[in-house]
């Protein structure tokens, strides 16, 4: 949208430029509003400081960029353990967590499945009611001291990431670990 400059605005600009010359120790700048007039007094020292600032060629550090060094951008990886045995799943998860930690990944989505199709009825720990990997993989992670040193926490996954058939692993920053 292009807005035309009114004659009143042009006149105000010309008055501002004309009044911007040095007149005394204190310069009065009149700021016109549609409903009221305000007078702001600017000291000669403040004006001089502002002029020096504008003339200075040094670069001013951007504080937003300086603080971004401490920000850790979210990096997510996913692993699907459908069809794995408990031993295979545990070994795979251990290697995957270590690899993700080395790559400074922040969050891992581990998909175990809900265990609804488990067919093993002889062993109660492996029965279809207990959902083999759903419970054994998080238990393995919590009991593995090497993994717990790299992990902040494990939580249940949101529905869009697998719901009760998945969980999240949040990893520590490898550069801040002692």
């Amino acid at each position: 949208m292009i807005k035309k400059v009114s004659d009143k605005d042009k006149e105000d600009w010309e008055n501002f430029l004309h009044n911007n010359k040095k007149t005394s120790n204190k310069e009065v700048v009149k700021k016109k509003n549609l409903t009221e007039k305000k007078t702001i007094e600017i000291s000669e020292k403040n004006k001089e400081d502002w002029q020096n600032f504008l003339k200075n060629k040094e670069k001013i550090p951007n504080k937003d960029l300086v603080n971004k060094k401490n920000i850790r951008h979210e990096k997510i990886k996913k692993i699907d353990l459908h069809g794995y045995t408990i031993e295979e799943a545990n070994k795979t998860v251990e290697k995957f967590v270590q690899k993700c930690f080395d790559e400074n990944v922040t969050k891992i989505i581990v998909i175990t499945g809900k265990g609804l199709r488990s067919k093993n009825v002889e062993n109660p720990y492996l029965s279809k009611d207990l959902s083999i990997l759903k419970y054994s993989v998080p238990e393995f992670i919590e009991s593995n001291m090497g993994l717990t040193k790299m992990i902040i926490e494990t939580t249940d996954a949101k529905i869009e990431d697998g719901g009760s058939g998945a969980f999240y692993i949040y990893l520590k920053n490898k550069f801040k670990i002692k």
Side-chain angles (χ1 to χ4, degrees), residues 44-97:
E44 203 55 43
K45 170 80 169 107
N46 286 344
K47 188 173 180 183
E48 186 179 318
D49 288 345
W50 181 248
Q51 292 296 329
N52 290 335
F53 172 77
L54 292 176
K55 290 177 187 174
N56 194 346
K57 300 293 181 195
E58 289 182 36
K59 288 189 176 182
I60 299 171
N62 185 341
K63 67 177 184 174
D64 294 330
L65 293 177
V66 171
N67 291 336
K68 284 189 178 181
K69 291 178 185 175
N70 297 331
I71 295 174
R72 188 171 170 210
H73 297 284
E74 189 173 56
K75 189 174 179 184
I76 302 171
K77 291 226 174 174
K78 186 185 289 191
I79 185 169
D80 189 343
L81 301 175
H82 279 100
Y84 283 73
T85 65
I86 291 176
E87 293 79 22
E88 291 171 342
N90 290 344
K91 287 178 186 176
T92 304
V93 164
E94 186 174 18
K95 289 177 186 175
F96 191 74
V97 169

Side-chain angles (χ1 to χ4, degrees), residues 15 32 44 92 106 109 113 125 127 136 159-160 164 168 177:
N15 286 337
K32 293 183 181 179
E44 203 55 43
T92 304
T106 56
I109 302 171
Y125 187 68
S127 75
S136 64
I159 290 175
E160 60 265 18
S164 63
Y168 300 133
I177 203 166

